[in-house]
Amino acid sequence: MRRSSLSRRALLTGSAAGAAGALLPVSPAAAKPKAAGTCASYRAAYHFTVPDQWKNDPQRPVWIDGEYHYYYLYNPDYLTGGTEAGTAWRLATSRDLVSFTDRGIAVPKDTTVNGDVWSGSAVVDTDNTAGFGAGAVVVLVTMSPGGGTDHQEQFLYYSTDAGRTFRPHGTAPVLPNPGVRDFRDPKVIRDEERGRWVMALAENTKVGFYHSADLKSWTYVGGFVKDGIGVLECPDLFRITASDGTVKWVLGVSANGKGAGLPNTYAYWTGSFDGTTFTPDASDPQWLDHGWDWYGAVTFEKRAANGTLDTRARYAIGWLNNWDYANTTPTIDCDGFNGTDSIVREITLKRAATGTYYLASRPIAALDDHVSRTIDLGDLSVSGTRLLDYRGISYEVTTEVTWESLTGAGFQLRRSADGGRHIDAGVYGDYAFLNRRNTVNPDTSGKWQESHSPFDRSARTVKLRILVDRTSVEMFVDDGRYVHSSEAFPYLVDTGLALFTIDGTAVFRNTVIREFTV
C-alpha cells in the first residue's frame, strides 16, 4: 500500500460539541505531545500500538527462532512535519501475539537512491534459493524511485541475522514497472509442490501472479481481475483446510467497496489455485470485516510453540484506521503516536448451510493468559434499557441473546453518565450493526457511522463477543461469522455499560466481562 502522505492532522478538542464531540484540524507544530500530567492517555490497553510517531500497513509476520517477527510501515518523522520522508519497516517480536517487544527499525529507508520502503512481504529462504545463505530472511518490497506514482517497482532486501536488520540487494529492481500506475505490495509464498516462489502483486483492479526460482528474477504468468471495489491493495494468497477436511485456496485484497455499499476492508474469495491461475468459487467477494477500520490486513501462519504448522487455521491482523481520516486521533495529543492495530484473530474455514465456504474469526486464544479481572453477570433479562453496575474503558464483553419476539437488542458501550453518548452494538431486524454516531469518532462526514452485516432474525438468538479499548471496538457475531472493527474516541469519563432491547424482551445469557493486562 501507499506510504503515509500526511500533510495535516486532526485532534480532539477538550470539550463536547453535541453528542459526538468536536474534531478540529491543527498544524503539525501543534501536534507535539503535551507534557506528562497535562493530558489523558488514549493508548490502547491490550491492542498493539506503535511506540511513537506513525504506523500504517502491517507486514505479514514470519516465524523465526520460536517467535513471530512482526514488521510494519513506520514513519519516524510524522510529528516533526517531515511527512514526505516516507516509511521504513519497524520490527516487533512476540511469542503469543498479544505481548510484543519493540526491536526498532529493521528495513531502513533512504539507504539507496530509491528512497523509502512501502508494503511487501518477508520470507525465510530455508533452502538458500537466493544465495544469501540457508535461513536468510528475504524481503520483497515496493519502492517508488523519484516518488512518482507510475514508478512503483519491486526491490529486494535480505537479512542474515534472523530478520533483525536488512541490507539492500543492489539498487536495481528485481521486478521493474512495465509502465502502469499501480504496481505494488508484493506478497510472496513458497509453492513447495512445484519448487518455486509465487508472487501476488496489486495492479489496480488486477492481482498479477509471478514465478521465480531464486526470488531475484520474476516472470509474469497471469492475473485475477475484479472491478467495482476500487483499487486493489495488499494482496494475500494462502491454502487452508476447512473443518470438514476440504482444502481451499483463498485470495484476499484490501479494497474500498464503500461506493457500492460494501465494506472498505479485506475482500476475499475461496477457490482453487494451480500455481498459476486462481479460480474463484464465486465472482463476488466475501469480507473478513464489515466495519470501517480494518485495512491493510494480512494473514499469516499459525504455529505451535515448537514450530508445528497448523493447516486448519491462520492468524490475521489489520490496521485500525481508514485513509479517509487517517490523521484524526486523540493519541497524538498526549501519547505522541498515531497507529493502532486490531487484536490478532484466528481465522478458520467453515462450510455454510448453503454449501459455500467462509472464513470465521475469533480473537486469539492467548488473550486468556492476560485476563486480569473477570465479572460473571450470569443471565440478565432486559426489556428496554438496563444499565449495568460496571464501569470500564478497556474490556471484553460476551453474551448470547435469546428472545421470542423483538426488533433489536445489544449493548450501549462507553456510555456517558447522562446516557447521551455511547457506542451501540448488536442486531436490528435482518442485520447486525456497530454504530459510533453518538460518541466522538474520526468520521466528520457523517457517512460512515453505522456498519452492517447480514443476520437471520428467525434464529431468535445471537452470540456477541465485543472487544472495547480506548480508541476501538471490535464486534464478533455468532462465533465470528461476521466481524465489525471501527475506531471510536469516547471521552475517558464515559465508562458506562448498558443492555438494550427494542420492541420486546430478551435474555442476555452467560454475560461475562473480562479485563486484560499486557
Side-chain angles (χ1 to χ4, degrees):
M1 192 203 300
R2 57 190 175 272
R3 61 185 173 181
S4 55
S5 53
L6 313 173
S7 58
R8 59 183 293 269
R9 296 157 174 79
L11 299 178
L12 292 170
T13 63
S15 60
L23 291 168
L24 296 176
V26 298
S27 68
K32 295 179 180 179
K34 295 179 181 178
T38 65
C39 59
S41 174
Y42 276 81
R43 188 180 290 275
Y46 60 97
H47 287 72
F48 179 85
T49 56
V50 65
D52 55 32
Q53 303 291 339
W54 161 275
K55 83 165 291 297
N56 56 305
D57 293 13
Q59 308 301 307
R60 181 185 62 199
V62 290
W63 179 265
I64 303 171
D65 295 338
E67 61 185 1
Y68 285 99
H69 283 50
Y70 170 43
Y71 305 96
Y72 56 89
L73 294 193
Y74 170 71
N75 181 355
D77 302 307
Y78 179 69
L79 293 178
T80 57
T83 57
E84 294 306 314
T87 51
W89 279 26
R90 191 159 180 161
L91 169 64
T93 58
S94 177
R95 294 187 181 276
D96 68 357
L97 296 171
V98 178
S99 176
F100 292 83
T101 299
D102 178 52
R103 303 295 185 184
I105 292 176
V107 184
K109 63 181 181 181
D110 300 329
T111 54
T112 76
V113 294
N114 302 310
D116 62 324
V117 289
W118 298 6
S119 280
S121 56
V123 296
V124 179
D125 188 13
T126 305
D127 297 326
N128 192 26
T129 63
F132 303 121
V137 183
V138 176
V139 160
L140 277 300
V141 63
T142 301
M143 302 176 76
S144 181
T149 58
D150 58 345
H151 289 92
Q152 297 170 15
E153 300 181 302
Q154 317 320 313
F155 292 80
L156 188 152
Y157 282 72
Y158 67 97
S159 169
T160 56
D161 62 357
R164 294 298 180 92
T165 60
F166 290 78
R167 66 194 72 173
H169 172 60
T171 59
V174 295
L175 183 56
N177 191 304
V180 297
R181 176 182 174 88
D182 299 300
F183 197 69
R184 60 179 177 267
D185 308 340
K187 188 62 61 65
V188 177
I189 63 172
R190 182 66 180 170
D191 184 353
E192 296 289 358
E193 182 179 351
R194 300 167 186 86
R196 63 192 177 198
W197 299 96
V198 176
M199 176 193 292
L201 194 67
E203 303 176 32
N204 199 274
T205 58
K206 180 180 76 172
V207 176
F209 297 120
Y210 298 79
H211 290 166
S212 176
D214 61 3
L215 294 167
K216 299 175 181 176
S217 301
W218 294 89
T219 301
Y220 176 75
V221 294
F224 174 84
V225 177
K226 177 60 181 178
D227 295 313
I229 54 174
V231 174
L232 309 183
E233 297 189 295
C234 301
D236 197 11
L237 181 66
F238 60 89
R239 182 166 57 186
I240 189 170
T241 302
S243 53
D244 64 2
T246 301
V247 177
K248 290 283 186 181
W249 279 87
V250 176
L251 177 65
V253 293
S254 284
N256 184 353
K258 294 200 303 289
L262 297 170
N264 178 33
T265 60
Y266 180 108
Y268 72 91
W269 296 261
T270 61
S272 60
F273 182 65
D274 63 5
T276 298
T277 301
F278 178 81
T279 304
D281 293 332
S283 59
D284 290 330
Q286 300 182 71
W287 298 81
L288 201 49
D289 198 292
H290 286 254
W292 302 120
D293 303 312
W294 202 69
Y295 202 72
V298 292
T299 71
F300 54 103
E301 296 176 341
K302 179 186 178 183
R303 292 187 178 271
N306 64 1
T308 301
L309 177 65
D310 186 346
T311 60
R312 293 178 176 266
R314 288 177 72 82
Y315 291 133
I317 188 170
W319 179 44
L320 276 174
N321 211 334
N322 188 309
W323 282 113
D324 285 356
Y325 40 72
N327 307 308
T328 303
T329 176
T331 61
I332 297 174
D333 194 31
C334 185
D335 303 295
F337 80 93
N338 182 355
T340 302
D341 285 339
S342 72
I343 203 71
V344 173
R345 58 185 68 166
E346 180 182 303
I347 61 171
T348 54
L349 185 66
K350 296 186 177 181
R351 187 177 187 270
T354 58
T356 59
Y357 288 84
Y358 67 92
L359 295 176
S361 305
R362 64 180 180 183
I364 189 168
L367 267 178
D368 296 346
D369 299 327
H370 294 267
V371 175
S372 58
R373 182 187 180 202
T374 300
I375 303 100
D376 190 341
L377 300 176
D379 298 346
L380 303 170
S381 180
V382 180
S383 180
T385 301
R386 178 171 177 173
L387 183 63
L388 301 181
D389 186 21
Y390 173 79
R391 299 291 180 271
I393 291 175
S394 300
Y395 56 89
E396 170 201 79
V397 59
T398 59
T399 194
E400 182 174 3
V401 191
T402 62
W403 63 87
E404 289 298 322
S405 177
L406 54 66
T407 302
F411 291 91
Q412 290 183 348
L413 310 162
R414 299 293 305 277
R415 191 177 190 265
S416 62
D418 64 2
R421 297 186 299 273
H422 45 81
I423 304 162
D424 298 330
V427 295
Y428 184 91
D430 60 357
Y431 59 84
F433 71 92
L434 178 60
N435 188 313
R436 60 189 180 184
R437 184 178 303 278
N438 290 319
T439 196
V440 185
N441 70 80
D443 173 37
T444 57
S445 75
K447 296 179 180 178
W448 320 119
Q449 297 292 315
E450 182 172 284
S451 55
H452 291 177
S453 62
F455 176 69
D456 180 8
R457 64 189 304 174
S458 68
R460 293 184 296 183
T461 183
V462 64
K463 294 179 181 179
L464 298 176
R465 183 176 183 181
I466 305 174
L467 304 183
V468 181
D469 215 333
R470 282 180 170 83
T471 59
S472 65
V473 176
E474 296 165 272
M475 178 176 72
F476 295 76
V477 182
D478 283 337
D479 296 319
R481 175 65 178 91
Y482 298 103
V483 186
H484 297 241
S485 300
S486 290
E487 288 185 300
F489 309 141
Y491 298 117
L492 298 181
V493 296
D494 293 350
T495 60
L497 177 62
L499 313 177
F500 72 84
T501 64
I502 301 172
D503 300 332
T505 299
V507 178
F508 288 67
R509 301 189 184 278
N510 301 316
T511 306
V512 176
I513 299 169
R514 302 195 302 176
E515 297 173 348
F516 306 99
T517 298
V518 176

